[in-house]
C-alpha cells in the first residue's frame, strides 16, 4: 500500500533571476533550517521558522555571478562558488565573509560538497579541488582529475572526515567517478579493486610540488549516456549510490560502490536533474526536465528497492533544476527557471520511540 502525498506545494516563493542552467547548484538547506539561494549575483537566506529573508552577499561590484551554494553539514557556514572561479565562505549568522579563494578554479564552480572542515569544489575546468578551510593556504591539499568535461555533481557519502567517507562526482562527460582520498596516501601504482572491468584500477600517489597531490578515481562508471548532475548516497544502506542522467539518458542507476557494480536501473522517461533520499523512509525523490514521453518538469517519489512510484508532483513550468531537503527530512523544496521555489510535504514524519519522546534529554523541548 503506497502512502498518499499532497499534490500541491504548501508554499511558493518568488525567486527572481533563478537561473535556468542545468549545470548550476543554486539551492541548499542548512542543518540550522535556513535556505540559501543564489539569484544572479546575490545569495539570499530564507529562515524557515519565521520566513525572514536576508541578503548574504552581492557580487555585482566584481561583475561576478553565483554558480553554486553549499552549507557545511552541521552549522551556519555557507560556501559560494562563482562563474569566475572564485570561492567565498560566509558565516550566515553574522552575514560576514570569512575568506575568499580568488582563483579557486580557472572556470566556473558548479558543484560544492563539504566533509567536516574539507570543502570540495568541482568546476568547468574539469578538476575537483579539496581545501581544508582551517588552513591558511589557498591551495588545495588534493586534486582529482577524472572527468574530461565539466564537473556538475559532487556528493560526499558522510561527514566523518575524508578518512571515513567516499566522494562521488558526476560530469558532462557522462561519467560517474568514485573517489577515496585515503588511496592517495599510498605510494604510486598500488592497484585499487576493480569489478567487471568497470573500475579505474589504479591510485596515483605522490604529490606535485605546490598544488596538492593528484588522485585517480577508485571506480569510474560509464553507463550513463548524458551528463550526470544528480547524485545521492543512500542514508539507510552503506555504500549505495543513486545517479541520474540528463536528456539523452533519462535513467536513474543504483551502484554498490564497495565493489563497483550496478545494482539496478530505472528508465524515468525524462531528464533527471536531481536526486535525494528520504531520511525517514526508504524512498528517493527525483526531479525532472525535458521528456518526450511523460509529463515534463515532474517531481517523482520512488519506493526503494522496488522502484514503484509513490507520487508524481507537478506545477513547475520549467525544468526542476534545484532540490533540497529540510533538516527534519519531511519537506523538500524545488526550484526552476520559472523563478519559483516550491515547498512540498514529501516524506512522512520520523517515528519516535515512546521512550525517546518522553526523554528529558530532548533539550530542544526545554530551551525556548
Amino acid at each position: 500500500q503506497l502512502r498518499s502525498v499532497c499534490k500541491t506545494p504548501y508554499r511558493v516563493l518568488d525567486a527572481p533571476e533563478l537561473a535556468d542552467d542545468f549545470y548550476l547548484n543554486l539551492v541548499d538547506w542548512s542543518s540550522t533550517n535556513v535556505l540559501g539561494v543564489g539569484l544572479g549575483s546575490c545569495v539570499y537566506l530564507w529562515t524557515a521558522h519565521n520566513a525572514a529573508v536576508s541578503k548574504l552577499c552581492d557580487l555585482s561590484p566584481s561583475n561576478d555571478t553565483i554558480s553554486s551554494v553549499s552549507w557545511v553539514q552541521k552549522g551556519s557556514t555557507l560556501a559560494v562558488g562563482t562563474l569566475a572561479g572564485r570561492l567565498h565562505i560566509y558565516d550566515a549568522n553574522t552575514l560576514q565573509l570569512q575568506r575568499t579563494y580568488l582563483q579557486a578554479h580557472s572556470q566556473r564552480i558548479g558543484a560544492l560538497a563539504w566533509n567536516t572542515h574539507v570543502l570540495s569544489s568541482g568546476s568547468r575546468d574539469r578538476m575537483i579541488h579539496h581545501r581544508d578551510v582551517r588552513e591558511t593556504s589557498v591551495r588545495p591539499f588534493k586534486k582529482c582529475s577524472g572527468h574530461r568535461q565539466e564537473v556538475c555533481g559532487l556528493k560526499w557519502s558522510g561527514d566523518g572526515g575524508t578518512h571515513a567517507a567516499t566522494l562521488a562526482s558526476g560530469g558532462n562527460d557522462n561519467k560517474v567517478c568514485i573517489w577515496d582520498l585515503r588511496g592517495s596516501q599510498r605510494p604510486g601504482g598500488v592497484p585499487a579493486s576493480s569489478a567487471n572491468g568497470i573500475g579505474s584500477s589504479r591510485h596515483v600517489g605522490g604529490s606535485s610540488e605546490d598544488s596538492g597531490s593528484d588522485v585517480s578515481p577508485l571506480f569510474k562508471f560509464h553507463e550513463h549516456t548524458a551528463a550526470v548532475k544528480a547524485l545521492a548516497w543512500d542514508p539507510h544502506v552503506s555504500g549505495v549510490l543513486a545517479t541520474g542522467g540528463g536528456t539523452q539518458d533519462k535513467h536513474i542507476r543504483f551502484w554498490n560502490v564497495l565493489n563497483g557494480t550496478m545494482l539496478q536501473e530505472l528508465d524515468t522517461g525524462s531528464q533527471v536533474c536531481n536526486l535525494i533520499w528520504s531520511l525517514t523512509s526508504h524512498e528517493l525523490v527525483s526531479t525532472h526536465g525535458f521528456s518526450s514521453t511523460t509529463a515534463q518538469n515532474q517531481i517523482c517519489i520512488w519506493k526503494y528497492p522496488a522502484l514503484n512510484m509513490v507520487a508524481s508532483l507537478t506545477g513547475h513550468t520549467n525544468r526542476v533544476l534545484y532540490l533540497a531537503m529540510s533538516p527534519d527530512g519531511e519537506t523538500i523544496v524545488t526550484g526552476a527557471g520559472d523563478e519559483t521555489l516550491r515547498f512540498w510535504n514529501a516524506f512522512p514524519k520520523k517515528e519516535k520511540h515512546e521512550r525517546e519522546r518522553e526523554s528529558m534529554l530532548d533539550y530542544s523541548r526545554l530551551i525556548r
Side-chain angles (χ1 to χ4, degrees):
Q1 181 65 45
L2 296 177
R3 61 192 179 81
S4 63
V5 177
C6 182
K7 297 295 181 73
T8 54
Y10 69 84
R11 185 191 294 268
V12 180
L13 296 179
D14 286 332
E17 288 190 76
L18 184 59
D20 187 26
D21 189 328
F22 179 82
Y23 296 99
L24 308 186
N25 288 280
L26 296 176
V27 178
D28 199 21
W29 205 328
S30 76
S31 65
T32 57
N33 212 13
V34 179
L35 196 68
V37 185
L39 300 177
S41 59
C42 300
V43 174
Y44 290 89
L45 304 179
W46 183 82
T47 304
H49 71 88
N50 62 4
V53 177
S54 50
K55 185 192 283 190
L56 179 67
C57 63
D58 184 349
L59 305 183
S60 53
S62 59
N63 200 28
D64 208 352
T65 302
I66 311 299
S67 53
S68 51
V69 298
S70 179
W71 294 99
V72 70
Q73 276 110 332
K74 296 180 179 71
S76 57
T77 301
L78 183 70
V80 176
T82 78
L83 289 189
R86 300 187 182 108
L87 197 48
H88 305 286
I89 297 175
Y90 290 89
D91 180 340
N93 283 339
T94 61
L95 305 182
Q96 295 299 306
L97 177 64
Q98 291 184 318
R99 70 179 302 174
T100 291
Y101 302 92
L102 277 177
Q103 294 176 302
H105 286 273
S106 60
Q107 296 187 56
R108 73 178 177 193
I109 301 168
L112 294 168
W114 287 89
N115 184 343
T116 56
H117 46 266
V118 171
L119 177 59
S120 302
S121 53
S123 169
R124 199 175 195 166
D125 66 13
R126 311 190 300 275
M127 295 297 296
I128 301 165
H129 290 175
H130 307 280
R131 290 177 169 86
D132 186 329
V133 299
R134 303 168 304 176
E135 301 290 336
T136 53
S137 170
V138 297
R139 298 183 184 279
F141 68 86
K142 285 277 190 304
K143 292 182 178 182
C144 296
S145 54
H147 291 285
R148 295 185 176 182
Q149 292 189 46
E150 179 164 14
V151 179
C152 44
L154 211 53
K155 287 284 163 61
W156 278 101
S157 64
D159 60 355
T162 56
H163 61 284
T166 310
L167 181 72
S169 63
N172 196 43
D173 57 2
N174 313 342
K175 305 296 187 275
V176 176
C177 292
I178 307 298
W179 308 89
D180 180 351
L181 295 197
R182 291 169 299 185
S184 61
Q185 306 299 323
R186 293 182 280 179
V190 176
S193 60
S194 175
N196 302 336
I198 296 174
S200 165
S201 63
R202 294 182 87 79
H203 282 293
V204 178
S207 62
S208 54
E209 299 202 4
D210 57 7
S211 57
S213 55
D214 207 351
V215 189
S216 291
L218 186 65
F219 293 113
K220 198 167 187 177
F221 301 135
H222 303 267
E223 277 73 1
H224 285 290
T225 56
V228 181
K229 176 193 183 186
L231 303 164
W233 292 94
D234 187 339
H236 309 285
V237 183
S238 178
V240 172
L241 174 72
T243 61
T247 308
Q248 299 304 314
D249 182 79
K250 304 181 176 68
H251 282 72
I252 301 171
R253 292 185 168 88
F254 298 87
W255 310 90
N256 177 346
V257 302
L258 303 179
N259 61 15
T261 56
M262 186 166 65
L263 298 169
Q264 54 181 325
E265 58 186 340
L266 171 68
D267 185 353
T268 69
S270 58
Q271 174 190 39
V272 184
C273 301
N274 291 282
L275 291 167
I276 206 161
W277 291 89
S278 169
L279 301 175
T280 61
S281 57
H282 211 177
E283 295 173 329
L284 179 82
V285 61
S286 57
T287 71
H288 299 273
F290 302 129
S291 172
S292 52
T293 55
T294 62
Q296 308 249 51
N297 314 323
Q298 285 193 104
I299 300 153
C300 300
I301 302 173
W302 310 92
K303 187 75 183 159
Y304 186 82
L307 298 181
N308 298 319
M309 190 189 288
V310 178
S312 167
L313 309 173
T314 54
H316 281 293
T317 56
N318 289 55
R319 300 176 292 172
V320 188
L321 295 179
Y322 310 109
L323 172 68
M325 189 164 60
S326 63
D328 65 11
E330 294 170 22
T331 299
I332 58 169
V333 61
T334 55
D338 58 17
E339 301 188 340
T340 66
L341 293 169
R342 294 167 188 259
F343 293 78
W344 316 79
N345 285 317
F347 295 122
K349 280 185 162 47
K350 198 161 195 169
E351 292 178 16
K352 285 192 173 181
H353 297 297
E354 199 65 39
R355 196 170 44 176
E356 189 181 327
R357 268 202 298 270
E358 299 305 320
S359 170
M360 289 301 286
L361 295 175
D362 185 358
Y363 293 115
S364 63
R365 293 192 314 167
L366 303 178
I367 300 169
R368 289 288 177 258

